[in-house]
Amino acid sequence: MKKDEVLKNVLSDNDRFRNIINNALFDGKNTIKEETLSDLNIEYDYYSEGKYNKKIRDLLKSCVLKKDDLLNYVVFGIENQIEYDKYMALRCLEYDLLEYERQIYIEKLKDFKPVLTLVIYYGKTKWKNKKLSDIIKVDKVCDALNVDKNPWKWMDYYELHLLSINELTESELNNFNLDNRQLFKTMRSLNNKEKLNILKNDNDFIKVNKDMANAISYLLNIDINIKGDDINMCKALEELKQDWKQEGILLGKAEGKAEGIALGEAKGKAEGKAEAYESNIKTMYKNGFDEALISKALDLDIEYVKSVLSK
């Protein structure tokens, strides 16, 4: 099972789903209730380029809203992104359009159910390209043709709804329910020795329910003996005695050295030309090392490491 599958499984729970939607889209108000949500088909079949194709979303739920004895419906989607995708706005637009097409041609609806997609981003790189206008650069074309941009103004209005986990303040994070805080803190701790150490003493991890404990165990790549419905994750992490592994990387005893990772001929220190430095930095980061570990393992200035990873 991949990390994105684990994320989809735990966030498919209606209470976790509605808590995220309410905090990310409705200023924390209890706008969406757990009992009003129901799962929708996440697969779309469509015909393109002479063949049938399939698109699969992460999560999609219908929500029933009642006012003055009238029922209204809205569709919420969640897309989990572990890595930055510059074309995500286009992907979400396509997902939303496919949902509207299904409502028209499959469900035969006379009135649309509005569709709203939230992207949960777990990466460290700052997200760019939130609008279509950030991706499709029409300014240069307009300048070349000496025409006004107004016909393309609609691109400015389609913008990603983005929840960037690593940019949440402690106050913002505390607005989420316990399950979601546990998940988000776990995701923020991946490949980060210092943050993993903090989890051992975090009160949020004293009581973790079984399915979330299984998810955390998988995401951190640690073996936890899970018995009963509630697990003391702080105790479980303490008993590991720093023996945490993240995708084959020994974090607890790394102490600046790359252990268990085949780095070719780098041997912990990038030598030679600038290309070799950059290649090894990017390889280590891709394999789960954080900036501090890369800096120590390759004996490089951390600011240089950061500059390479920001390119």
Side-chain angles (χ1 to χ4, degrees), residues 4-257:
D4 58 345
E5 289 296 325
V6 175
L7 294 170
K8 284 190 283 187
N9 286 343
V10 295
L11 294 183
S12 64
D13 175 82
N14 280 354
D15 184 50
R16 295 169 189 155
F17 188 98
R18 67 97 197 159
N19 179 253
I20 289 175
I21 293 296
N22 284 335
N23 277 284
L25 302 177
F26 300 114
D27 298 322
K29 298 176 183 177
N30 193 27
T31 305
I32 306 303
K33 309 294 193 302
E34 179 181 359
E35 63 273 12
T36 66
L37 293 170
S38 58
D39 292 333
L40 291 176
N41 186 1
I42 59 173
E43 296 185 2
Y44 301 105
D45 295 309
Y46 65 100
Y47 191 79
S48 176
E49 298 182 354
K51 61 180 181 180
Y52 285 97
N53 300 278
K54 187 183 294 290
K55 289 281 185 182
I56 303 177
R57 302 185 62 140
D58 284 353
L59 293 165
L60 196 68
K61 292 180 183 285
S62 177
C63 177
V64 183
L65 304 174
K66 183 177 180 181
K67 185 177 181 181
D68 299 331
D69 294 327
L70 295 176
L71 296 181
N72 297 283
Y73 296 87
V74 64
V75 175
F76 292 108
I78 285 181
E79 295 297 316
N80 293 297
Q81 277 298 117
I82 295 176
E83 297 180 353
Y84 170 67
D85 182 355
K86 67 181 293 185
Y87 300 116
M88 196 66 196
L90 282 172
R91 283 178 53 196
C92 288
L93 176 60
E94 182 179 20
Y95 288 146
D96 293 350
L97 289 175
L98 286 170
E99 176 58 29
Y100 286 125
E101 287 186 353
R102 180 161 64 189
Q103 292 179 24
I104 297 173
Y105 301 114
I106 305 300
E107 299 179 18
K108 307 294 184 182
L109 298 181
K110 295 181 179 179
D111 296 317
F112 283 118
K113 299 176 183 177
V115 183
L116 203 159
T117 298
L118 173 69
V119 176
I120 306 179
Y121 175 52
Y122 304 93
K124 297 177 181 178
T125 305
K126 191 171 181 61
W127 194 282
K128 303 175 184 177
N129 299 338
K130 293 182 181 180
K131 297 181 180 180
L132 285 184
S133 56
D134 295 330
I135 301 172
I136 306 170
K137 308 293 185 181
V138 298
D139 290 357
K140 293 181 179 179
V141 175
C142 293
D143 289 342
L145 296 174
N146 195 27
V147 296
D148 191 79
K149 186 186 173 182
N150 282 336
W152 285 279
K153 274 290 185 181
W154 68 273
M155 291 184 186
D156 292 333
Y157 303 122
Y158 188 87
E159 182 175 0
L160 281 182
H161 295 285
L162 186 74
L163 176 62
S164 182
I165 300 307
N166 281 289
E167 293 184 26
L168 290 174
T169 66
E170 286 304 307
S171 176
E172 291 170 334
L173 185 59
N174 287 332
N175 288 331
F176 292 88
N177 64 22
L178 180 60
D179 280 5
N180 287 329
R181 291 202 306 274
Q182 291 166 347
L183 178 64
F184 293 166
K185 288 180 179 181
T186 298
M187 293 302 294
R188 298 207 304 190
S189 300
L190 295 186
N191 311 324
N192 190 308
K193 175 185 173 183
E194 289 75 17
K195 288 185 177 180
L196 280 170
N197 272 311
I198 292 173
L199 292 189
K200 293 190 304 176
N201 302 310
D202 191 322
N203 289 336
D204 278 350
F205 287 82
I206 292 176
K207 186 176 181 180
V208 183
N209 63 47
K210 188 174 182 178
D211 69 321
M212 185 60 73
N214 277 312
I216 293 172
S217 174
Y218 184 88
L219 291 168
L220 295 181
N221 194 20
I222 58 179
D223 186 17
I224 299 174
N225 185 17
I226 298 175
K227 295 180 179 179
D229 294 329
D230 294 313
I231 293 87
N232 187 326
M233 190 64 66
C234 294
K235 183 178 179 181
L237 291 173
E238 180 64 33
E239 290 174 351
L240 288 171
K241 296 179 180 179
Q242 306 296 319
D243 187 22
W244 291 320
K245 292 181 180 180
Q246 173 59 32
E247 296 178 351
I249 300 168
L250 187 60
L251 293 175
K253 298 180 180 179
E255 297 178 352
K257 288 186 65 177

